[in-house]
C-alpha cells in the first residue's frame, strides 16, 4: 500500500545505513546479535565440513555430497513443515530458543564424531536451527513500521554478509590449528565446538530480549 511506503533515502539504501534501524531499538539490537552469532556458526558448516569429513572419516567426494544433500533435505523439510506447528504450540520466542539449542547440540555431535555415524545422527538435530531464523525475523518484523520492513530485511542481509566475511577466516584458522604437526592443540572438531559455543551465546542473548507487544505491523 502507498501509505506503507517510506520516501527513498540514500542514507537508508546502503547496507550500513540499513543497520541504523537496528541500533535504535533494543529488541532489534538483541535479535540482530542472535542472528549474527547464528550466521557465524553456520559458516563452520560451509567452510570446514568437507575438510573435516575428509580428515576425520576419509570420506569420498560422493559420501560428502550425499551427507550435504541430507542436510539440505532436513533443512527444507523443517522449514516447510515444522516451523508453523512449533510456533503455534510453544510461541515464537520459545521456538527461537528451541532451534538455537538444537543447533548447538548438533554441532557438538559433529565435533565429537569419530566414525561419521554420530555426525549423520547430528544432521537432523542441527537442522532444528531452521525453526529459529523465521521465528527471529517474525519478531523483528513486528518491531518496525510497515514502511520500514524493507529496510529491516536489508539490515538482516547486511548481518548475513558480515558473517560471510569473518566466518570463513575464523573457522578455517581454528581448523588449521586443531590438528597436525603445527597444531596448537589436537581437537579436530574444534571448529564445530566453537559454532556450538556461538549458539549457546545466542541463546543467552535471546532470553534477554523482550519483544514489544504494541509495535510494528500489529499497531498499524
Amino acid at each position: 500500500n502507498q501509505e506503507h511506503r517510506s520516501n527513498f533515502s540514500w542514507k537508508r539504501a546502503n547496507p550500513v545505513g540499513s543497520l541504523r534501524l537496528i541500533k535504535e531499538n533494543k529488541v532489534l539490537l538483541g535479535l540482530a546479535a542472535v542472528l549474527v552469532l547464528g550466521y557465524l556458526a553456520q559458516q563452520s558448516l560451509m567452510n570446514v565440513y568437507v575438510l573435516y569429513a575428509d580428515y576425520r572419516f576419509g570420506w569420498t567426494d560422493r559420501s560428502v555430497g550425499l551427507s550435504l544433500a541430507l542436510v539440505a533435505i532436513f533443512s527444507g523439510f523443517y522449514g516447510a513443515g515444522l516451523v508453523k506447528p512449533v510456533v503455534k504450540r510453544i510461541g515464537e520466542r520459545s521456538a527461537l530458543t528451541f532451534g538455537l539449542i538444537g543447533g548447538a547440540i548438533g554441532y557438538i555431535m559433529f565435533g565429537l564424531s569419530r566414525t561419521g555415524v554420530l555426525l549423520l545422527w547430528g544432521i537432523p538435530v542441527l537442522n532444528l536451527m531452521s525453526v529459529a531464523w523465521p521465528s527471529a525475523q517474525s519478531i523483528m518484523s513486528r518491531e518496525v513500521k510497515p514502511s520500514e520492513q524493507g529496510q529491516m530485511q536489508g539490515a538482516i542481509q547486511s548481518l548475513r554478509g558480515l558473517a560471510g566475511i569473518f566466518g570463513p577466516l575464523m573457522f578455517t584458522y581454528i581448523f588449521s590449528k586443531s590438528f597436525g604437526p603445527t597444531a596448537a592443540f589436537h581437537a579436530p572438531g574444534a571448529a564445530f565446538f566453537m559454532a556450538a559455543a556461538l549458539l549457546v551465546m545466542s541463546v543467552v542473548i535471546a532470553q534477554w530480549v523482550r519483544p514489544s507487544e504494541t509495535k510494528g505491523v500489529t499497531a498499524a
Side-chain angles (χ1 to χ4, degrees), residues 7-8 11 15 58 65 72 78 96 104 123 125-126 146 149 165 175 197 200 214:
N7 295 326
F8 179 80
K11 184 179 294 186
Y78 287 169
L96 172 60
I123 288 175
V125 180
L126 173 70
Q149 295 296 323
I165 293 172
F175 185 70
V200 170
T214 59

Side-chain angles (χ1 to χ4, degrees), residues 52-120:
Y52 178 75
D54 177 58
Y55 171 79
R56 196 95 186 228
F57 317 128
W59 280 2
T60 63
D61 292 343
R62 183 174 182 272
S63 298
V64 172
L66 288 173
S67 68
L68 287 174
L70 194 61
V71 172
I73 290 171
F74 274 102
S75 178
F77 173 73
Y78 287 169
L82 192 63
V83 175
K84 287 184 179 180
V86 171
V87 170
K88 184 176 180 180
R89 185 172 183 83
I90 64 178
E92 287 173 339
R93 291 189 71 246
S94 296
L96 172 60
T97 301
F98 171 74
L100 294 172
I101 292 175
I105 294 173
Y107 279 126
I108 291 172
M109 293 173 71
F110 275 30
L112 291 175
S113 299
R114 291 184 178 274
T115 64
V117 174
L118 186 59
L119 183 145
L120 292 175

Side-chain angles (χ1 to χ4, degrees), residues 165-197:
I165 293 172
F166 295 105
L169 298 173
M170 179 174 69
F171 285 110
T172 53
Y173 177 80
I174 292 173
F175 185 70
S176 69
K177 295 297 181 181
S178 63
F179 68 94
T182 61
F185 50 89
H186 184 78
F192 295 120
F193 295 142
M194 173 58 74

